[in-house]
Amino acid sequence: MILVFAEVIENEVQDITYELVALAKQLGDYKVVVVGADPKDIDGDVIQIDGILHPYHYKVAEKLFEEYNPDAMLFANAPFGMDLAPQLAGKLNLPLITNVVRLENGERFKATSLTYGGRVLVDLEVDKPAIFVVNRGCYEPVRGTPNVEKLSLAVEDGTELLRVIKPEEAGVDISKADVVVSVGRGAVDSLELAEELAELLNGVIAGSRPVIDQGLLPKTRQVGRSGKTVTGKLYLALGISGATEHVEGVKAKNVIAVNVDKEAPIFRVANVGVVADVNELLPVLIDKIKEAKGKR
Ligand code: FAD
């Protein structure tokens, strides 16, 4: 049996949970643990627990492990999952594999994991039971109807969640946008044009870390390891070199990259590469799109 821990933040099941459910379905029988949230659209058996499962509440997960004796526990590579899974692995003395992009069930589990900052993929085999932290964008999300079993688990571990300090919200979640126009250090002079392009394409603007560090865009717009992962239909990378820390966050179905350097690593992950100066290309591109839309 597979125990999936829904990624819940502030009483809401996060989208990545539906990707974990898709994986669990491939692995075998599963139950999804949802703490303190409505298990909306979760397909299959759900164990719903009232309260807040904060990152120091590994004791709840420990009790569930003892109760259900699962072969695997799946967590999301997201704030909550990444806090809880390692603590649980330590407490239960179980193997933990993080950054999982593929997982198969058999005599033992076979996992593929991203390592060295996303540069290397490694295949691993591990005995049961084990804990896996799964990356976003690797499984097509599955939604359905929950079959809910309510459970109350009283846990005292001496810690109390006092408050959650949220990042400043810019009102836009780039990880959910279909079209993302992203500005790198090579395109900062054309930020306004990039914003115009994003608007024309009904998309949102984002950036690489140096652009965020310079304060040109809010932190919520950062793509990459220490930012967000984009999973939409199109990612347009303007003047972005394609460092591993950046491309770790690029999981869009199509990637178009514009860079003056034809050797730029971003071209390795792009479906379409354009060797051009962004500052020259953008005005022309915007004109063409306006023309096609009859706006000129
Ligand atoms: P650069 O690497 O400077 O690239 C600029 C590119 O623009 C170059 O390829 C250049 O050829 C091109 N260019 C220049 N002028 C033009 C022009 N006129 N037209 C077209 N192309 C042009 N980075 C992230 O983005 N997100 C993260 O979440 C992140 N997390 C990190 C976490 C850690 C622990 C560390 C160590 C680093 C992290 N980084 C992250 C930083 C990352 O390593 C890179 O430094 C960063 O992604 C580089 O950003 P860039 O591509 O915009 O800039």
Side-chain angles (χ1 to χ4, degrees):
M1 203 269 279
I2 312 294
L3 212 49
V4 178
F5 282 80
E7 177 79 12
V8 173
I9 294 185
E10 294 206 300
N11 304 94
E12 266 198 47
V13 170
Q14 304 296 300
D15 284 351
I16 191 168
T17 304
Y18 304 103
E19 299 177 26
L20 295 182
V21 172
L23 168 59
K25 270 180 178 290
Q26 293 179 14
L27 297 177
D29 287 348
Y30 68 93
K31 285 182 192 289
V32 184
V33 180
V34 179
V35 184
D38 175 2
K40 193 166 71 94
D41 295 341
I42 291 184
D43 197 23
D45 289 347
V46 168
I47 304 163
Q48 190 182 11
I49 304 173
D50 284 340
I52 302 167
L53 187 61
H54 62 75
Y56 311 107
H57 246 160
Y58 58 84
K59 286 204 173 173
V60 171
E62 220 176 351
K63 279 200 173 183
L64 289 167
F65 176 76
E66 283 159 15
E67 171 97 16
Y68 292 97
N69 202 19
D71 290 332
M73 290 190 276
L74 305 184
F75 290 87
N77 190 356
F80 171 77
M82 258 319 270
D83 271 338
L84 190 58
Q87 290 190 69
L88 191 60
K91 292 287 167 190
L92 295 172
N93 200 20
L94 292 181
L96 167 74
I97 301 182
T98 56
N99 285 310
V100 171
V101 296
R102 203 164 43 230
L103 185 59
E104 282 169 28
N105 199 353
E107 191 86 343
R108 309 169 85 198
F109 284 109
K110 285 185 179 176
T112 304
S113 161
L114 270 179
T115 185
Y116 290 115
R119 264 175 284 245
V120 177
L121 281 171
V122 288
D123 287 334
L124 299 150
E125 280 196 9
V126 67
D127 285 332
K128 299 173 180 180
I131 301 178
F132 302 95
V133 180
V134 182
N135 278 6
R136 196 184 294 273
C138 302
Y139 290 89
E140 276 298 316
V142 167
R143 287 181 166 75
T145 313
N147 174 25
V148 180
E149 169 197 347
K150 294 213 174 195
L151 198 72
S152 66
L153 275 182
V155 169
E156 280 298 325
D157 68 357
T159 40
E160 187 187 350
L161 184 68
L162 295 180
R163 66 184 173 125
V164 174
I165 303 168
K166 286 197 277 184
E168 278 172 53
E169 203 35 83
V172 170
D173 184 352
I174 58 167
S175 68
K176 293 191 178 137
D178 262 351
V179 176
V180 176
V181 175
S182 193
V183 173
R185 200 171 356 216
V188 288
D189 291 342
S190 292
L191 183 57
E192 276 180 24
L193 286 176
E195 279 174 325
E196 191 180 345
L197 179 64
E199 208 179 309
L200 275 173
L201 298 174
N202 296 325
V204 299
I205 192 85
S208 65
R209 182 157 138 184
V211 175
I212 294 356
D213 287 349
Q214 280 179 51
L216 298 171
L217 289 171
K219 176 80 181 155
T220 47
R221 303 288 179 125
Q222 182 175 322
V223 176
R225 184 190 296 177
S226 39
K228 291 197 170 178
T229 299
V230 293
T231 54
K233 291 185 185 147
L234 175 65
Y235 185 68
L236 190 51
L238 305 172
I240 293 176
S241 59
T244 45
E245 295 85 2
H246 182 83
V247 297
E248 267 176 42
V250 181
K251 296 277 183 282
K253 298 206 168 49
N254 297 291
V255 177
I256 300 178
V258 183
N259 201 300
V260 278
D261 175 8
K262 68 174 175 24
E263 306 292 339
I266 191 75
F267 289 134
R268 284 189 223 138
V269 296
N271 310 75
V272 176
V274 183
V275 180
D277 184 329
V278 169
N279 305 317
E280 288 171 13
L281 182 78
L282 279 191
V284 182
L285 186 61
I286 287 170
D287 250 20
K288 292 274 178 210
I289 294 172
K290 280 186 179 166
E291 202 179 303
K293 288 189 154 193
K295 284 195 175 177
R296 217 185 49 158

